[in-house]
Amino acid sequence: MRIKATEFMKLTQGTMSMTEYMHAFNNLSRYAPEFVITEEKKIESFKRGLSTKLLKTMANSKCATYNEFISDAITQEKQNNLHSAAKNRKRTFQAGSS
């Protein structure tokens, strides 16, 4: 049982999507209830494992509930992905026109 709690404490988003990270977090959180006993603690525990890019944009989030935070984080991830795709298209276009 403590092995799963340790796994929860070490969980990070890494290359997982927000949805994948959320499912892993929710699955492992039951083994470490002391870290998810309140909405605030649950959000803080979730933030701890976010990718640095998402953490940067979500660090000052004022969401009152875990579900609100997740919804905002998924929206932010989509925006980050759209921004990255647009930058890549621009680079490809500029490289092709030289």
Side-chain angles (χ1 to χ4, degrees):
M1 184 87 145
R2 292 305 319 160
I3 292 170
K4 289 287 186 187
T6 301
E7 197 177 328
F8 173 79
M9 291 303 299
K10 291 181 178 180
L11 180 66
T12 59
Q13 184 179 6
T15 58
M16 288 186 267
S17 69
M18 266 300 302
T19 305
E20 292 168 329
Y21 174 58
M22 176 193 65
H23 287 302
F25 179 89
N26 289 340
N27 183 40
L28 290 171
S29 67
R30 64 184 157 177
Y31 300 104
E34 65 273 22
F35 295 103
V36 294
I37 199 160
T38 66
E39 291 290 309
E40 187 177 346
K41 282 187 173 202
K42 196 170 188 177
I43 291 168
E44 286 306 312
S45 292
F46 191 83
K47 274 186 187 179
R48 185 187 68 246
L50 280 178
S51 69
T52 53
K53 187 173 189 175
L54 263 177
L55 185 58
K56 180 181 170 189
T57 55
M58 295 298 297
N60 294 322
S61 172
K62 302 291 186 231
C63 294
T65 68
Y66 173 70
N67 288 338
E68 285 176 13
F69 185 84
I70 294 297
S71 180
D72 284 359
I74 289 171
T75 300
Q76 189 59 55
E77 179 185 56
K78 287 178 184 173
Q79 292 302 315
N80 288 350
N81 291 342
L82 287 171
H83 178 72
S84 292
K87 280 177 69 172
N88 289 338
R89 279 192 304 274
K90 185 176 178 182
R91 277 193 208 111
T92 301
F93 177 75
Q94 287 174 340
S97 64
S98 337

